[in-house]
Amino acid sequence: MAQADISIKPTELQGGHGHPDKWKWYDYFTFNVDHKVIGIQYLVTSFLFYLVGGFMAVLMRTELATPNSDFLSPELYNAFLTNHGTIMIFLWIVPAAIGGFGNFLIPLMIGARDMAFPKLNAIAFWLNPPAGAVLAASFFLGGGAQSGWTSYPPLSEITANLPQTLWCVALIMVGTSSILGSVNFLVTIWKMRVPSMAWDQMPLFCWAMVATSVLALFATPVLAAAMVLLLFDINFGTSFFKPDAGGNVVVYQHLFWFYSHPAVYLMILPIFGIMSEVIPVHARKPIFGYKAIAYSSLTICLVGLFVWVHHMFTSGTAPWMRIFFTISTLIVAVPTGIKIFSWVATLWGGKIRYTTAMLFAVGLLSMFVFGGLSGVTLGAAPFDIHVHDTYYVVGHFHYVLYGGSVFGIYSGIYHWFPKITGRMLNEPLGKVHFVLTFIGTILTFTPMHNLGMQGMPRRVAMYDPQFAHLNQLVTVGAYILAVSVIPFYFNVIWSWMKGKEAGPNPWNAMTMEWTTDSPPIIENWEVLPVLTHGPYAYGMERSDEVGPAGEPLPASRS
Amino acid sequence: MQGAIDSTPVVTGHEVAAHEEHQDLRVLGLITFLASEFLMFAGFFAVFLVFRGSHVQWPPEETEVELLLPAVNTLILVSSSWVINLGTKAIKKNDLAGMRKWFGITAAMGAIFLAGQVYEYMNLGYGLKTNLFSNCFYLTTGFHGAHVFIGLVLILGVLWRSRRANHYTDITHTGPEMAEIYWHFVDVVWIVLFSLIYLLTLI
């Protein structure tokens, strides 16, 4: 391993090789190959897209506050519906959780100076802003794609063809970005750890990113195939998904869900990694069940590739397939439950500091249990057939995506903001943000379950007046969520400029990224660190001699 | 730290990644990427198989495939995988002329394959829009053809760069190696594709 010989060279010095010790502000707007810059670029752009997608959601909820369609035109409502989903998934959660945290943290956590392929990394990021621009352009060239974020044919082939084409192109771009990023993460984690770090001494976030990357690597190209076929159908006169010419619309659903079901694990596995980092630090305890958490990520990755048909129980799926996919779907709850159990066990008897990062992590635990359980009910074919395409489904996935992924991203931001910027976030303001978010999430997404059980269909702008009261409650919740981002964005911008200096390790954490300056210098360390203790060795009498789960560190590992 | 005197060359993360010493990482990255790309073809093949299974006559009468020319083409492409391997074997023995010869032959074989494919397209008598089979046929073979073209560009790029003195030696040969891996990938995809689309019509 040639790179290992180089990286342990102790005489390495900074500043002698032609680039500066610190980036200037404008470096963050250029094609920069530093993984920290790319991580920040991912985070900032995704947080901008979060505002765009959230704005669409607020407009839709305003429309849905009354049973009649009187605020948005039907076309515009459909376009917001489609692009809200697309932006939130592909341009907010995935780039923030995978691109942002993954790029910023992985090299720092494993003691590398950069990712394995820095230029590829920058290319992967720079596919995202144009994808967002293409989606935005589709609004001005025919009113935006209008067939929902799933874009099922034949609907997607008969509505607004040009915007639908642009939508496909945008998805292919973010998909390519995701594949290139995954290649980079896998090779980096595989080959660029400091020589003293064995696989089972790696922080759990890196394990989560391994699972995420494998999943993205195998699932994303299938979505690309679906997009290409749809593009050909719309623009070049083929008939893959045109039943009157022998095509088959269900084939599209298979291809689409083969990616888009694993995509929910793409959005939650990095969050599980963030949870596994935040909880032990703020509970001052070694993580409970290191290996269980690590392997359960890989199990979710594996099983997650065999569950996609549970989105298609009502698409004419054969009964034997329903049985198989019901069982495989329910099995996913097992490794997820192992993780939840391990985090609760880590909290048990810990010396918990209720920082905002910890509040969001604990909030996530409760939210995710609720959302996960409604997912288990949906995974069972008989119940799913009853509530399919109702607001029950909408409530479920928003519980896991907002209460899970978004809470996790917030938690990670509060935890690593000092490392990223060198300054602390304001804690009281953070707590205001947390309370608003928590109340808003419950108020917005819980009544949706009731609406769904009563039969309110999703994806519609008009509904029966009997649902009006619950819908008003949901809309009020959505407004609270909209307001909740104000203290957060204000906090981030203000603290980035004027916040309290953080110092290298404000939380007294044990993982390797806290051993360098905040923000880290350009090559991360002047002299690469040597692993002396596991990432979660809290409260040990001689913390420098124990491994991640508290066991003594073997004399030589490499 | 600025201006510290240090006689040993400083190696940084940025240089490391683009540096010849890190051939193992680049090859690994390419293989990981190709594993991913294979899944895209797998998606197309799955679609093809579903349609094949759900139609009584497949391919339909007016759109039957030509068999002789693609068979010859397959022979050329499959054997070019051996040829390109001879090329990388040569450079590993520091035989630059040998590498250039074998890579040149591979490029010629790839070009013949592409020309054969274009000739086939022009003489089949049906187009992309004719029916579902022709949709699948042109899409899968076309996508594969695009990949052959990319592989051809990679090989020509290696040949172009090999003009520089000592650019490829028995120690630094990541470029030829990666071109070879990509070419094998194109080949493997073609074998699956040929079996599915051409050979299965015989049954």
Side-chain angles (χ1 to χ4, degrees):
Chain A
M1 286 213 305
Q3 82 279 9
D5 303 339
I6 292 160
S7 51
I8 54 170
K9 191 186 289 175
T11 52
E12 243 165 76
L13 293 171
Q14 290 297 301
H17 43 80
H19 50 71
D21 281 347
K22 269 194 173 151
W23 299 114
K24 297 268 189 295
W25 65 269
Y26 49 79
D27 288 320
Y28 290 86
F29 294 87
T30 58
F31 189 87
N32 197 309
V33 293
D34 184 345
H35 72 98
K36 298 183 291 295
V37 176
I38 294 171
I40 293 170
Q41 286 173 331
Y42 265 116
L43 281 172
V44 171
T45 43
S46 63
F47 268 99
L48 291 176
F49 282 122
Y50 178 41
L51 289 184
V52 176
F55 182 65
M56 291 177 180
V58 167
L59 292 181
M60 281 194 290
R61 279 322 309 182
T62 310
E63 160 76 56
L64 290 167
T66 54
N68 294 317
S69 182
D70 41 18
F71 181 66
L72 297 172
S73 72
E75 291 79 18
L76 202 55
Y77 180 86
N78 288 344
F80 281 159
L81 181 84
T82 306
N83 287 284
H84 163 73
T86 311
I87 286 174
M88 287 305 202
I89 289 169
F90 294 103
L91 291 165
W92 152 236
I93 298 180
V94 168
I98 305 179
F101 287 110
N103 275 309
F104 192 90
L105 293 174
I106 283 177
L108 286 167
M109 280 183 166
I110 62 174
R113 295 218 181 272
D114 207 325
M115 300 287 281
F117 311 109
K119 280 180 194 161
L120 194 69
N121 206 9
I123 292 169
F125 167 72
W126 283 104
L127 282 166
N128 279 285
V134 168
L135 280 184
S138 75
F139 272 87
F140 302 99
L141 301 167
Q146 293 172 18
S147 45
W149 88 279
T150 53
S151 284
Y152 283 169
L155 183 62
S156 53
E157 296 185 356
I158 57 176
T159 54
N161 282 345
L162 178 60
Q164 194 67 51
T165 304
L166 292 174
W167 184 86
C168 293
V169 169
L171 250 63
I172 290 173
M173 287 164 92
V174 291
T176 312
S177 157
S178 170
I179 290 172
L180 298 181
S182 301
V183 169
N184 224 333
F185 290 140
L186 278 179
V187 177
T188 306
I189 294 175
W190 191 353
K191 287 285 180 187
M192 297 190 51
R193 281 169 288 137
V194 283
S196 48
M197 185 186 278
W199 279 99
D200 60 354
Q201 291 158 344
M202 215 164 62
L204 283 164
F205 180 76
C206 299
W207 273 107
M209 290 307 296
V210 170
T212 309
S213 306
V214 170
L215 209 50
L217 213 53
F218 287 131
T220 319
V222 180
L223 178 78
M227 290 302 118
V228 168
L229 295 180
L230 193 59
L231 273 178
F232 269 70
D233 263 15
I234 292 174
N235 296 300
F236 304 116
T238 58
S239 46
F240 296 106
F241 308 130
K242 289 173 186 158
D244 52 347
N248 189 341
V249 289
V250 179
V251 169
Y252 176 85
Q253 297 190 14
H254 278 287
L255 292 178
F256 181 82
W257 287 115
F258 188 81
Y259 168 77
S260 294
H261 188 76
V264 309
Y265 304 122
L266 291 186
M267 287 183 276
I268 203 65
L269 280 171
I271 303 302
F272 288 165
I274 291 172
M275 289 285 282
S276 307
E277 299 302 325
V278 171
I279 287 181
V281 173
H282 297 273
R284 315 303 306 157
K285 260 187 75 188
I287 190 105
F288 181 91
Y290 173 90
K291 283 185 179 164
I293 294 180
Y295 297 160
S296 64
S297 289
L298 300 180
T299 315
I300 291 174
C301 160
L302 188 71
V303 182
L305 284 169
F306 296 96
V307 302
W308 78 94
V309 175
H310 71 225
H311 293 268
M312 301 161 59
F313 283 150
T314 59
S315 306
T317 311
W320 68 268
M321 278 174 95
R322 287 180 182 164
I323 294 170
F324 174 81
F325 285 100
T326 295
I327 293 171
S328 60
T329 304
L330 300 191
I331 285 176
V332 178
V334 177
T336 316
I338 290 173
K339 283 180 193 293
I340 304 272
F341 177 81
S342 296
W343 294 327
V344 174
T346 308
L347 290 171
W348 186 280
K351 198 176 166 190
I352 299 173
R353 297 183 294 197
Y354 282 108
T355 55
T356 312
M358 188 61 162
L359 284 174
F360 271 106
V362 177
L364 190 154
L365 268 179
S366 58
M367 293 285 170
F368 199 80
V369 168
F370 189 98
L373 287 178
S374 66
V376 170
T377 61
L378 279 173
F383 184 76
D384 178 79
I385 290 166
H386 176 63
V387 294
H388 189 82
D389 262 346
T390 68
Y391 260 79
Y392 191 89
V393 179
V394 181
H396 156 68
F397 72 68
H398 278 93
Y399 243 95
V400 285
L401 288 184
Y402 203 99
S405 302
V406 179
F407 270 53
I409 291 169
Y410 279 145
S411 176
I413 291 287
Y414 280 99
H415 184 69
W416 280 294
F417 191 82
K419 180 51 63 185
I420 295 172
T421 63
R423 292 174 188 276
M424 304 296 288
L425 279 169
N426 183 294
E427 281 288 323
L429 210 51
K431 278 163 188 157
V432 170
H433 171 219
F434 170 74
V435 170
L436 284 174
T437 313
F438 196 76
I439 294 172
T441 309
I442 291 175
L443 204 55
T444 310
F445 304 121
T446 316
M448 286 183 178
H449 293 83
N450 300 45
L451 284 169
M453 295 287 276
Q454 292 168 25
M456 179 173 161
R458 63 193 276 208
R459 298 193 177 105
V460 290
M462 290 174 77
Y463 52 87
D464 194 288
Q466 60 165 316
F467 303 126
H469 292 302
L470 280 175
N471 266 300
Q472 280 161 4
L473 203 60
V474 174
T475 301
V476 169
Y479 285 156
I480 295 177
L481 280 184
V483 171
S484 78
V485 301
I486 296 171
F488 176 73
Y489 279 74
F490 175 76
N491 196 353
V492 165
I493 295 168
W494 186 82
S495 302
W496 205 328
M497 295 187 299
K498 298 223 161 83
K500 201 174 75 181
E501 295 274 346
N505 192 358
W507 311 121
N508 285 320
M510 315 282 285
T511 40
M512 214 173 244
E513 77 267 26
W514 302 100
T515 61
T516 180
D517 296 347
S518 302
I521 55 172
I522 282 178
E523 297 286 345
N524 295 350
W525 289 276
E526 286 178 8
V527 177
L528 277 179
V530 177
L531 195 73
T532 53
H533 52 71
Y536 310 109
Y538 295 101
M540 297 293 148
E541 267 185 284
R542 299 176 64 191
S543 62
D544 52 324
E545 285 178 12
V546 290
E551 83 275 16
L553 204 62
S556 69
R557 304 286 283 271
S558 70
Chain B
M1 288 300 152
Q2 199 79 37
I5 298 161
D6 184 6
S7 57
T8 56
V10 179
V11 182
T12 70
H14 306 294
E15 291 161 41
V16 155
H19 203 266
E20 288 291 345
E21 286 167 38
H22 289 266
Q23 36 196 290
D24 52 335
L25 291 195
R26 282 191 286 162
V27 170
L28 207 58
L30 180 70
I31 292 172
T32 322
F33 175 73
L34 290 181
S36 177
E37 213 179 359
F38 193 80
L39 264 287
M40 190 179 74
F41 280 101
F44 292 142
F45 294 156
V47 171
F48 180 82
L49 281 174
V50 168
F51 290 149
R52 184 177 191 277
S54 59
H55 287 75
V56 184
Q57 177 141 30
W58 188 264
E61 263 174 42
E62 76 269 32
T63 51
E64 270 159 2
V65 288
E66 154 86 7
L67 270 173
L68 179 67
L69 176 65
V72 174
N73 244 348
T74 307
L75 266 179
I76 293 172
L77 193 68
V78 171
S79 39
S80 73
S81 249
W82 298 100
V83 177
I84 197 169
N85 185 251
L86 292 176
T88 44
K89 270 185 182 157
I91 194 65
K92 280 173 188 170
K93 290 179 194 142
N94 215 4
D95 173 13
L96 186 65
M99 187 205 84
R100 296 189 65 160
K101 179 180 75 185
W102 295 120
F103 267 63
I105 296 175
T106 313
M109 291 168 99
I112 292 171
F113 176 88
L114 282 178
Q117 206 170 29
V118 171
Y119 180 82
E120 184 192 358
Y121 282 2
M122 285 161 61
N123 289 285
L124 274 175
Y126 53 84
L128 175 70
K129 295 184 196 177
T130 308
N131 60 26
L132 197 58
F133 175 80
S134 78
N135 297 164
C136 291
F137 172 81
Y138 280 106
L139 188 96
T140 43
T141 53
F143 252 73
H144 178 267
H147 281 76
V148 175
F149 181 75
I150 294 168
L152 192 60
V153 171
L154 289 179
I155 291 171
L156 292 176
V158 166
L159 284 173
W160 180 257
R161 285 189 159 193
S162 69
R163 296 172 314 125
R164 297 187 209 158
N166 288 328
H167 193 71
Y168 297 124
T169 64
D170 50 348
I171 301 165
T172 58
H173 47 253
T174 311
E177 223 174 333
M178 286 172 75
E180 185 198 343
I181 291 170
Y182 192 87
W183 198 250
H184 291 326
F185 163 76
V186 165
D187 214 4
V188 169
V189 169
W190 177 257
I191 290 170
V192 180
L193 197 157
F194 183 73
S195 318
L196 278 182
I197 291 181
Y198 293 91
L199 291 185
L200 274 184
T201 61
L202 295 173
I203 303 167

